[in-house]
Each structure stands twice: as C-alpha cells, then as structure tokens.
Amino acid sequence: MKIPFFSWLFLLPICSLFVNFGIFVLSGQCLHDQRDLLIGLKTNLIFDNNSSTKLVHWNESLNCCLWKGVTCSEDGRVIGLNLNNESIYDGLHKSSSLFTLHWLVTLDLSTLSYLSDNMLKLEDPNLAKLVQNLSEIKELYLDGVNISAPGNEWCQALSSSVPNLRVLSLSDCHLSGPFNSSLSKLQSLSIIRLDSNPFNAPVPEFFVNFTNLTSLHLGFCGLNGTFPEKVFQILTLQTLDLSNNELLQGALPDSIGNLAMFMAKNLTEINLSHNDLTGKIHSLIWKDLPKLVNLDLGYNSLGGNIPASLSSLPSLQILGLSNNQFSGRLEFNVPSTLLITLDLSSNNLEGPVPTSVFELQGPKFLSLSSDNFSGPFQLNKIQQLRNLSNLDLSFNSLSVEYIETNSLLSSFPQITTLRLASCNWIWKLNNLLNLNLSDNLLEGPLHNLSSTLSLSILDLSSNLLQGQLPTLPPSAAYLDLSRNNFSSVMPGIGSPLSVAYFLSLSNNQLSGSIPVSICGAIYLEVLDLSDNLLSGAIPQCFYEMGETLWVLDVRRNKLSGNISDSFSVNCGLRTLNLNGNQLGGVVPKSLENCKNLEVLDMGNNQLKDALPCNLKSISSLRVLILRSNQFYGSIDFTTKGFDIELVKILTIFTAIDISNNNLDGPIPEEIGKLKSLVVLNLSHNALTGHIPPFLGNLTQLESLDLSSNKLTGEIPVQLTDLTFLSVLNFSFNLLVGPIPQVKQFGTFTNDSYIHNKELCGFPLTTHCISYEAPPPTFQETHSNSGEIDLNFLSVELGFIFGFGIVIGPLMFWKRWSRRYFKHVDDILIRVFPQLNLGIKYRRRAARINQGQRH
Ligand SMILES: *[C@@H]1O[C@H](CO)[C@@H](O)[C@H](O)[C@H]1NC(C)=O
Ligand SMILES: *[C@@H]1O[C@H](CO)[C@@H](O)[C@H](O)[C@H]1NC(C)=O
Ligand SMILES: *[C@@H]1O[C@H](CO)[C@@H](O)[C@H](O)[C@H]1NC(C)=O
Ligand SMILES: *[C@@H]1O[C@H](CO)[C@@H](O)[C@H](O)[C@H]1NC(C)=O
Ligand SMILES: *[C@@H]1O[C@H](CO)[C@@H](O)[C@H](O)[C@H]1NC(C)=O
Ligand SMILES: *[C@@H]1O[C@H](CO)[C@@H](O)[C@H](O)[C@H]1NC(C)=O
Ligand SMILES: *[C@@H]1O[C@H](CO)[C@@H](O)[C@H](O)[C@H]1NC(C)=O
Ligand SMILES: *[C@@H]1O[C@H](CO)[C@@H](O)[C@H](O)[C@H]1NC(C)=O
Ligand SMILES: *[C@@H]1O[C@H](CO)[C@@H](O)[C@H](O)[C@H]1NC(C)=O
Ligand SMILES: *[C@@H]1O[C@H](CO)[C@@H](O)[C@H](O)[C@H]1NC(C)=O
Ligand SMILES: *[C@@H]1O[C@H](CO)[C@@H](O)[C@H](O)[C@H]1NC(C)=O
Ligand SMILES: *[C@@H]1O[C@H](CO)[C@@H](O)[C@H](O)[C@H]1NC(C)=O
C-alpha cells in the first residue's frame, strides 16, 4: 500500500547522507562540455519554474560548478547532481544529456510531490538507459520517481551498470518483486532504502552478503515469508526497518533469541512493527545492544513475558511492544534513564504496575492501556514523571487512588492527555478543592461524588463520561459536566447543591423530566440544561426562583406544557432561553416581573398568542426571538398611548425575530424608530403592503429578513443606506421593479430576491427593460421566474432538478434556511455574548482556579 506520508519520513535523513559520504564541494572551473551538457539537460527537462529553487537559477554566464545542485571535481567535471524536489514532470528526453554526464558519483532526482499525477517517470527512457553509462555512481536517489519496473528489470539495470553503488534510495518508485539475484553483485551497498514499493515477495537470502550494510529500510513493501535472520548479524548494521509487511515467524522465534547473542552491536534502531511475527523474545537477546535507541515490535503476535533486561538497555529511548500477546507480570528492574516512550498497551500483562515505572526519568508518553493490570494505582506517583505529556491507563482493572495534596491540576502542568478508563477514583479526592479534567478522554460512569467533601470547582466537560449522572459534590460552587454522554437524570441531583452558583449539564443525552430537586440550589446564577432530551414540563419552582438566577437555558430539549404564569415578583432573569422545545400556551403575563430581562428566546415552540405586548414594561429587553410559533394578529400597533410606550422601550431593542408566525397587516411605522436594531426578522408571516422606506433609518441593521410574506411594490432605494447589512432576504414576496445596485446591495446573491412578482436586475438574470409592463397574474409570475429558479436549483441541488418547480423551491428553502439562520445566529452571538452561555462564567471559574493555584 502506498502511504506518502511515511515516504516523507523516510526521505528526511537523506540530506545528512551527503555528509556521511564526504562529498565535498570542490568547485573547480567548469569544463565547457560539462556546462553544455547541463544546459542541454535543463532545456530538455519539464519542471515547474515557479517552485524550482535550483534549475531556475542556472546562469550560463557563471561557472557551472557554482550552480545550485551541481558539484564538480577539482578538474571541473560534474560529479554530483542534486535536483531533489525540483518538481520535474513527465519523462526524461530521449537524448537527455543526463545519460552522458559520465563522471557522476551522486545523482538525486527524488521528489516529494507524490500526489501530482504527472510526476517524473522513467518509462522510456527507463532506469536501465539512465544508468547505462553512469558507471561511477555511488549514490542514487530516485525516491518518488515512477520507475514502475519488475524485479528482474530494475535489479539487472543496477547490477550491470553501477557496480560501486553504496546508497540505493528508491522509496515509492512503484518497483515490484521478486528481487533478482543479480542485485547481490552490489557488494558495496551500505544504505538500502526501498520503502513503499509493492514487492510482494520474500527478502532473499543474499541480503546477508551485503557486508557493509548500515541501513536497511523495507517498510510497506508487502514483504512476506520469513526474514533472513542473519541480516541481524551484519556487523555494520545500525538501522533495520521492516515495519508494515507480512513477515512471518522466523524473525523472532527462539532461534533469534539464540542468535541475538551475536546480533550486530551497532544496531540503533529495529522496527519490526506491523508484521505477523509470532513466538517469544528470548531474555538474552537484548543484553548486548548498547546502542539500541528504538525498538518497535508493536502490532505482531508475539507472546510470553517481556524480559526485564529490555528495560535496562542503556540507550533505549523508545520501546513499543503494543498490540501483541505479551503476558505475565511486568518486571522492570533498572529502567533506562533515557526512555521517552513506553507503549505496552493492548497486551495481556497483569499484576500491579511496577513501581520502577515511576522511577523513569524522562517519559513523555506512557501507555499501559488495555492490559490486565490490577491492584491499587497511586495517581500521585505520576507527579514524579515530570516530563509526562500523555498518560493512558485506560481499560485495566486498576483502582486508581489519589492521596490528598492541593490540586491535581497544578501537580501535572505538562500532561495534555490523561486517559483513565474509569473515574471512580474521583470521589476519593477528599481535600481537593479544584479539579479540572475537561477536554480529556475520561470514560465510563461517574459514581457518587457526594463524599468529595471539599471540592469546590469541578470541570469534567468535554469528556466521554456516560451512564447516570452522579450525585454531585455538596461543596461545589462551579459544576460543569457539559459535553459528555450522560444519559439519565438521577432524582437526587441538586438536593445537596447548597452553594452552587453555576451548573451546566448541557450537551448530554439526559432524558426524563427535570428533577425538582435542582430548585434546592438556591444560589444558582446560571442553570444550563440545553441540548439534552429532557421532557415533561418545566418545574414550577423554576419560575419561582428568586433574584439570584440570571440565566436559565433549557433550549433544544423536548419540554412541553404551557409556560406557567408564575414568574416570581423578584425574578432576576437576564437571559431566558426556551428555544426549540414543544412549549405551548401563551406568553405568561408574569414574565413582566423579570424586569432585567435582556434576552428572551421563545423561538421554535408552539406558542399561540397575540403578540406579547405586555413585554413593553421590560425596558432592558434587547433580544426578542419568537421565531416559528403561532403568533397572530397584525403588528400594526393599535392604541396611541401604547404606541408611545412601545417606541420608548423598543428604541433600545437590538433584535426582533417574530418570523414564522401568523402575523398580517403592514409593517408598522414604529419600527423605523428602533434605531439600535441589529436584527429584524419578520419572515414567514402574512404581512402586506410595501416595504416601508423608513427601514432605511435603521442604520445599525445587520440582518433584515422580510421573506415569505405578501409584500408588494418596489424595494425602496432608501434601504441602500443600511451599510452594515450582511444578511438580506426579500425572497418569496410579490415585489416588483429593479433591485438597487449600490453599496451593500451589490453583494447579495440571488437567494435574497428569488420568487417575487417581477424583480429584475443583478443578481437575478431577468433584465429590467420590460419592467413597466402591466403586472402579470400570479400564475404568470410563477412561470416568469421559473427559469431563474431552475437555473439556481440546478446548481444548488443538482439532483432535485427533475422534481420540478413546485417541490424544488420548498426543498431548496429548507436547506438554505439552515445556512441562513446559522449566519443570523452568528451575528446575534457576536452582538449579545450572553446568548452563548457559560463563557463569562467559565472565565470567572478560571480566575478562581488560578487564584487557588497561586
Ligand atoms: C508559473 O507562474 C506563472 C505566473 O506566475 C504562470 O503563468 C505559470 O502557469 C506557472 N507555471 C506553472 C508550471 O505553474
Ligand atoms: C516560468 O515560466 C513562465 C512561462 O513559461 C513565465 O511566465 C514565468 O515568469 C516563469 N517563472 C519564473 C519564476 O521564472
Ligand atoms: C519540495 O517542494 C515543495 C513544492 O515546491 C515545497 O513546498 C517543499 O517545501 C519542498 N520540500 C523540500 C524538503 O525541499
Ligand atoms: C547571470 O549572471 C550575470 C553575471 O552575474 C548577470 O549579469 C545576469 O543578470 C544573470 N542572469 C540571470 C538570468 O540571472
Ligand atoms: C552509452 O555509451 C555507449 C558507448 O559509448 C553508447 O553507444 C550508448 O549510446 C550510450 N548510451 C546512452 C544512453 O547514452
Ligand atoms: C507509473 O507509471 C506507469 C507506467 O507508465 C503507469 O501505468 C502508472 O499509472 C504510473 N503510476 C503513477 C502513480 O503515476
Ligand atoms: C534475473 O533477471 C535476469 C534477466 O531478466 C533473468 O535472466 C534471471 O533469470 C533472473 N534471475 C532470477 C533468479 O530470477
Ligand atoms: C566495505 O567498507 C570498507 C570500509 O569502508 C571498504 O574498505 C570496503 O571496500 C567496502 N567493501 C565493499 C565491497 O565495498
Ligand atoms: C554469500 O557469499 C558467500 C561468499 O561469497 C557465498 O558463498 C554465498 O553463497 C552467498 N550467499 C548468498 C545467499 O548469496
Ligand atoms: C508472497 O506474496 C506473493 C504475492 O501475494 C505470493 O505469490 C507468494 O506466494 C507469497 N510468498 C510467500 C512465501 O508467502
Ligand atoms: C560500530 O560503530 C563504531 C562507532 O560508530 C565504529 O567505529 C565501528 O566500526 C562500528 N562497527 C562496525 C562493525 O561497523
Ligand atoms: C427617518 O429619518 C428621517 C430623517 O432623520 C425622519 O425625518 C423620519 O421621520 C424618520 N422616519 C421614521 C419612520 O422614523
């Protein structure tokens, strides 16, 4: 399988090879014939001159030995050509002068742009032709070049032409197998890098005869059969990467355990991960590998014990043994002080986690997850691992314990990911004041927290906690369990919350009715139950909660029943959000008691009422959302005295959304006086009359939606004064005439205007010439604008095209409106941050957290 990302990694060390092999830039004076060959080469190459960093700078009037990517011998012959990553496309020219640069010792045409379709290809001329007369080559880098040749071909090509080859780097070249024995002639090979080629064949025995081999990379090659284990004995060998193949037992059964005594002592890296290796690792094998830095045997089927000697390899930094069948107790004696990664996950290891694990000095990544480790585990021990950034102890049978100190969080400033399958240790945190494990991968149910006596701030939000909501800690002031998967409400919740001021359970799967016991939390300022599956009525006591409760958010649940007319006389609510439930009845009169209300969102319910004029007494109200209910009547406000009062309060209104109701009549003139209005949504009603020019007085307006009404006449040119307008929708009305083409109006798309009687001009495709014709009938309107709709639909909803003009607009509308409302909500949230609950309180909690840490 081709995995370009890995190929990238394989290529990274290439640059350093030049240093290893002592190619020095000698820069003699370029010989003329050599320069001409290079110019010929450049002329014939197809490359992206924009991303080129070498070829593009070759300048004929300069010594070619100084050109980027060119290396010369003292006598001016080109001996090195490095065009690595020069974005060379297609093939080489049939008479490319590359074939005649006879003195080349190093040739690098490797590329990192694998994803491009027209990458360099060696088809005709092929690899054989390229190297035919380049017999001096010692280092050949063609990684990423499409050579696409079978084993016999590429092996023969190399072995017959470049006998002195020391570096063979052909990763991801579409080479296939099997290896041809002629390759064994290349006795000087020191670095073999053939990752990501589909050989689908075994590694031949003759590899053991590459006696100068230091690096062998054959990852992702579909290698199968048994690996010639004597390769491990090549004395010069340092790096062996055979990962991600299908190699079978033979590489590591007992035989290799014996052989290990003779393993090359210079080995620094062994990666045999992702193979089919079986058997045990003999305890002797690792004794004599003083330089081993990286040992990865993960994702095989190895079994038996993990030998204690492994942990004492003096240079070991990375030990990966995950996803095998290692069993028994883990015994680490004198752990390496250098270890930075220890991954023993997904085995069958059992018994306690040895204390020596905590004596490791350096680990950043420690995973013991998905084993059978058991017994007590003292979380405090982790404090010794000062560099730890990732700890995974999940899926074991550990009983995690925590011995009281001050704050868990401040003890582990470095941990970014803490994963513990179960959190049932939390309740033992007797003296902890403040626990913030939010944005982790904590899983499983949370048990009774009522005995965590001093916990004041508990933030477990954004984890994977599930099951019943636990009894909450009685001392907690700030409790955030939002964004988890809790799935039912415990009846006892809240009864002990005698000091809590913030409780958020939003974004869970909580179902059933809201427990009245929450009302025992008499100091609550914020109660957020939004985005759950809660049903039944809103508990009576919610209405009666006194002046402390500022924010009540139950939006997007399944609450039903009427909104009770029992808001307390000292109601302190600033934000009441009931959006997206099944609440019926009328807007209760006692809502007037909430004199500080700033945001009232009752949208998307089943309220059936005349417009709630009693809200006029709430002078602080800034956002009123009644969208998608069944409000009726006209917004033609009726009595004189009322007008004046309404205008008074409405001048500080910043959003009105009474869309999707049954309102009729014209748009009242009073609205023109609401100078602070930012959002006005009257869509989906039955409003009649003209769009009043005075809407142009609402200079703060950012969103104006009058769509789906029965508005007639032209779009008043005064509206072009609304320079902040970013959302506009006049569609689905009976408007006529030209669309104003100035200022903001030039920026809206035809979504804003479609389905009117006879609107014309950009962005619609109807020209304005025939506009003065007598108004057509409704039917004609439909067919007149039909063409536009179809064009639009065919782009927006290609698949719906055949459904025709009647269904089309409906479906289109639904989908479009989702996008549209998102946009309006964005504006609202920007203008009224209180709509986005919790932010303020999170900050406050964060401040408290910090205070306690210092
Ligand atoms: C290089 O950039 C020029 C202009 O910047 C452009 O016209 C040309 O198509 C680009 N060439 C390639 C191969 O991208
Ligand atoms: C690349 O070549 C194109 C024409 O093929 C030219 O327009 C452009 O300027 C060249 N870009 C560079 C960076 O030389
Ligand atoms: C290779 O070329 C690409 C595109 O020209 C560039 O983004 C990338 O950084 C280059 N990589 C190296 C290692 O030079
Ligand atoms: C080539 O080098 C000469 C001498 O330094 C310089 O004058 C000229 O501008 C260069 N040409 C290009 C295309 O860079
Ligand atoms: C290699 O050299 C031989 C002899 O000089 C010549 O016949 C042949 O054409 C050369 N091959 C290439 C690809 O240039
Ligand atoms: C590589 O070249 C071969 C032969 O021309 C072609 O069939 C294949 O599609 C190429 N592969 C890629 C990834 O370009
Ligand atoms: C190696 O390749 C040559 C040339 O294609 C072929 O004659 C020979 O049989 C191959 N050897 C093996 C062992 O396949
Ligand atoms: C192997 O390496 C040694 C030391 O660099 C060198 O003397 C010897 O010639 C090399 N063997 C081959 C076959 O290249
Ligand atoms: C390795 O080389 C030795 C000595 O040159 C030779 O006898 C042996 O057959 C070779 N082994 C393989 C597998 O080619
Ligand atoms: C290796 O895989 C190839 C291709 O799938 C298959 O033909 C061959 O028999 C396999 N060899 C071994 C030893 O499994
Ligand atoms: C092992 O490495 C050391 C130090 O890099 C080197 O001197 C020695 O020659 C190497 N041994 C072999 C057999 O390559
Ligand atoms: C709109 O503003 C103009 C000028 O400020 C004013 O004369 C007019 O009465 C206003 N219209 C409404 C409906 O407020």
Side-chain angles (χ1 to χ4, degrees), residues 663-688:
L663 304 168
D664 52 35
I667 298 174
E669 195 168 329
E670 281 68 23
I671 282 187
K673 300 193 173 115
L674 312 178
K675 303 263 199 268
S676 51
L677 213 55
V678 176
V679 175
L680 176 60
N681 187 348
L682 304 175
S683 69
H684 290 261
N685 282 294
L687 300 172
T688 51

Short mmCIF file of all heavy atoms in Angstrom, two decimals, residues 663-688:
data_model
loop_
_atom_site.label_atom_id
_atom_site.label_comp_id
_atom_site.label_asym_id
_atom_site.label_seq_id
_atom_site.Cartn_x
_atom_site.Cartn_y
_atom_site.Cartn_z
N LEU A 663 -48.67 36.52 11.51
CA LEU A 663 -48.93 37.95 11.58
C LEU A 663 -49.38 38.48 10.22
O LEU A 663 -48.89 38.04 9.19
CB LEU A 663 -47.67 38.67 12.03
CG LEU A 663 -47.13 38.17 13.36
CD1 LEU A 663 -45.73 38.70 13.59
CD2 LEU A 663 -48.06 38.58 14.49
N ASP A 664 -50.33 39.46 10.26
CA ASP A 664 -50.74 40.06 8.99
C ASP A 664 -50.70 41.58 9.10
O ASP A 664 -50.24 42.13 10.10
CB ASP A 664 -52.11 39.54 8.56
CG ASP A 664 -53.13 39.69 9.68
OD1 ASP A 664 -53.05 40.70 10.42
OD2 ASP A 664 -53.99 38.79 9.82
N GLY A 665 -51.16 42.27 8.08
CA GLY A 665 -51.13 43.72 8.07
C GLY A 665 -49.79 44.24 7.61
O GLY A 665 -48.87 43.46 7.33
N PRO A 666 -49.67 45.59 7.55
CA PRO A 666 -48.43 46.19 7.06
C PRO A 666 -47.35 46.25 8.14
O PRO A 666 -47.65 46.07 9.32
CB PRO A 666 -48.86 47.59 6.64
CG PRO A 666 -50.01 47.90 7.54
CD PRO A 666 -50.69 46.60 7.86
N ILE A 667 -46.14 46.52 7.72
CA ILE A 667 -45.04 46.70 8.68
C ILE A 667 -45.23 48.07 9.33
O ILE A 667 -45.31 49.08 8.63
CB ILE A 667 -43.68 46.64 7.95
CG1 ILE A 667 -43.51 45.26 7.33
CG2 ILE A 667 -42.55 46.96 8.90
CD1 ILE A 667 -42.28 45.11 6.46
N PRO A 668 -45.36 48.13 10.66
CA PRO A 668 -45.72 49.40 11.30
C PRO A 668 -44.57 50.40 11.27
O PRO A 668 -43.40 50.04 11.35
CB PRO A 668 -46.02 48.97 12.74
CG PRO A 668 -45.24 47.72 12.92
CD PRO A 668 -45.17 47.04 11.60
N GLU A 669 -44.97 51.63 11.19
CA GLU A 669 -44.01 52.72 11.07
C GLU A 669 -43.08 52.82 12.28
O GLU A 669 -41.95 53.25 12.18
CB GLU A 669 -44.79 54.03 10.90
CG GLU A 669 -43.93 55.18 10.41
CD GLU A 669 -44.79 56.37 9.97
OE1 GLU A 669 -45.92 56.14 9.50
OE2 GLU A 669 -44.31 57.50 10.13
N GLU A 670 -43.60 52.38 13.43
CA GLU A 670 -42.81 52.46 14.67
C GLU A 670 -41.45 51.79 14.53
O GLU A 670 -40.47 52.21 15.13
CB GLU A 670 -43.58 51.81 15.83
CG GLU A 670 -44.65 52.68 16.43
CD GLU A 670 -45.81 52.89 15.46
OE1 GLU A 670 -45.98 52.06 14.55
OE2 GLU A 670 -46.52 53.90 15.60
N ILE A 671 -41.44 50.77 13.72
CA ILE A 671 -40.18 50.03 13.61
C ILE A 671 -39.06 50.94 13.11
O ILE A 671 -37.90 50.79 13.48
CB ILE A 671 -40.39 48.79 12.72
CG1 ILE A 671 -41.10 47.72 13.56
CG2 ILE A 671 -39.08 48.26 12.19
CD1 ILE A 671 -41.25 46.39 12.91
N GLY A 672 -39.44 51.92 12.32
CA GLY A 672 -38.44 52.86 11.81
C GLY A 672 -37.75 53.66 12.90
O GLY A 672 -36.71 54.27 12.69
N LYS A 673 -38.32 53.64 14.09
CA LYS A 673 -37.72 54.41 15.19
C LYS A 673 -36.77 53.59 16.05
O LYS A 673 -36.14 54.11 16.95
CB LYS A 673 -38.85 54.98 16.07
CG LYS A 673 -39.77 55.90 15.28
CD LYS A 673 -40.69 56.70 16.18
CE LYS A 673 -41.46 57.72 15.36
NZ LYS A 673 -42.91 57.46 15.34
N LEU A 674 -36.70 52.31 15.74
CA LEU A 674 -35.85 51.43 16.57
C LEU A 674 -34.41 51.52 16.06
O LEU A 674 -33.88 50.58 15.48
CB LEU A 674 -36.36 49.99 16.51
CG LEU A 674 -37.86 49.84 16.72
CD1 LEU A 674 -38.26 48.38 16.59
CD2 LEU A 674 -38.25 50.36 18.09
N LYS A 675 -33.81 52.64 16.34
CA LYS A 675 -32.53 52.95 15.70
C LYS A 675 -31.42 51.98 16.08
O LYS A 675 -30.42 51.88 15.38
CB LYS A 675 -32.10 54.36 16.10
CG LYS A 675 -33.10 55.43 15.76
CD LYS A 675 -32.73 56.10 14.45
CE LYS A 675 -33.40 57.42 14.30
NZ LYS A 675 -34.67 57.48 13.63
N SER A 676 -31.57 51.27 17.21
CA SER A 676 -30.48 50.39 17.62
C SER A 676 -30.66 48.97 17.09
O SER A 676 -29.86 48.09 17.38
CB SER A 676 -30.38 50.36 19.14
OG SER A 676 -31.64 50.08 19.68
N LEU A 677 -31.70 48.76 16.32
CA LEU A 677 -32.00 47.40 15.86
C LEU A 677 -30.86 46.85 14.99
O LEU A 677 -30.40 47.51 14.07
CB LEU A 677 -33.29 47.44 15.06
CG LEU A 677 -34.19 46.21 15.12
CD1 LEU A 677 -34.54 45.85 16.54
CD2 LEU A 677 -35.45 46.45 14.31
N VAL A 678 -30.42 45.65 15.32
CA VAL A 678 -29.34 45.00 14.57
C VAL A 678 -29.91 43.86 13.73
O VAL A 678 -29.45 43.60 12.63
CB VAL A 678 -28.27 44.45 15.54
CG1 VAL A 678 -27.19 43.68 14.80
CG2 VAL A 678 -27.63 45.60 16.31
N VAL A 679 -30.91 43.19 14.29
CA VAL A 679 -31.52 42.07 13.58
C VAL A 679 -33.03 42.27 13.52
O VAL A 679 -33.65 42.49 14.55
CB VAL A 679 -31.22 40.74 14.31
CG1 VAL A 679 -31.96 39.59 13.63
CG2 VAL A 679 -29.72 40.45 14.34
N LEU A 680 -33.59 42.23 12.34
CA LEU A 680 -35.04 42.30 12.21
C LEU A 680 -35.50 41.16 11.33
O LEU A 680 -35.14 41.08 10.16
CB LEU A 680 -35.47 43.64 11.61
CG LEU A 680 -36.98 43.79 11.35
CD1 LEU A 680 -37.78 43.66 12.64
CD2 LEU A 680 -37.30 45.12 10.66
N ASN A 681 -36.26 40.27 11.92
CA ASN A 681 -36.74 39.13 11.15
C ASN A 681 -38.25 39.04 11.27
O ASN A 681 -38.79 38.70 12.32
CB ASN A 681 -36.08 37.84 11.66
CG ASN A 681 -36.41 36.65 10.78
OD1 ASN A 681 -37.30 36.71 9.92
ND2 ASN A 681 -35.69 35.55 10.99
N LEU A 682 -38.94 39.36 10.18
CA LEU A 682 -40.40 39.28 10.15
C LEU A 682 -40.85 38.25 9.13
O LEU A 682 -42.00 38.25 8.69
CB LEU A 682 -40.99 40.66 9.79
CG LEU A 682 -40.59 41.84 10.68
CD1 LEU A 682 -41.15 43.15 10.13
CD2 LEU A 682 -41.08 41.63 12.10
N SER A 683 -39.94 37.38 8.74
CA SER A 683 -40.23 36.47 7.62
C SER A 683 -41.30 35.43 7.97
O SER A 683 -41.62 35.22 9.14
CB SER A 683 -38.95 35.75 7.21
OG SER A 683 -38.56 34.85 8.22
N HIS A 684 -41.83 34.79 6.94
CA HIS A 684 -42.81 33.72 7.11
C HIS A 684 -44.01 34.15 7.95
O HIS A 684 -44.36 33.54 8.95
CB HIS A 684 -42.15 32.47 7.71
CG HIS A 684 -41.23 31.81 6.74
ND1 HIS A 684 -41.58 30.72 6.00
CD2 HIS A 684 -39.98 32.12 6.35
CE1 HIS A 684 -40.59 30.37 5.22
NE2 HIS A 684 -39.60 31.21 5.41
N ASN A 685 -44.61 35.26 7.54
CA ASN A 685 -45.86 35.68 8.11
C ASN A 685 -46.78 36.01 6.93
O ASN A 685 -46.56 35.48 5.83
CB ASN A 685 -45.64 36.90 9.02
CG ASN A 685 -45.07 36.46 10.37
OD1 ASN A 685 -45.74 35.78 11.14
ND2 ASN A 685 -43.82 36.82 10.64
N ALA A 686 -47.76 36.83 7.15
CA ALA A 686 -48.64 37.19 6.04
C ALA A 686 -48.70 38.71 5.92
O ALA A 686 -49.75 39.29 5.67
CB ALA A 686 -50.03 36.60 6.27
N LEU A 687 -47.57 39.36 6.11
CA LEU A 687 -47.53 40.82 6.07
C LEU A 687 -47.83 41.33 4.68
O LEU A 687 -47.42 40.74 3.68
CB LEU A 687 -46.15 41.31 6.53
CG LEU A 687 -45.77 40.90 7.96
CD1 LEU A 687 -44.32 41.26 8.26
CD2 LEU A 687 -46.71 41.56 8.96
N THR A 688 -48.55 42.46 4.63
CA THR A 688 -48.93 43.02 3.33
C THR A 688 -48.41 44.45 3.21
O THR A 688 -47.76 44.96 4.12
CB THR A 688 -50.47 43.04 3.20
OG1 THR A 688 -51.02 43.66 4.37
CG2 THR A 688 -51.03 41.64 3.08
#
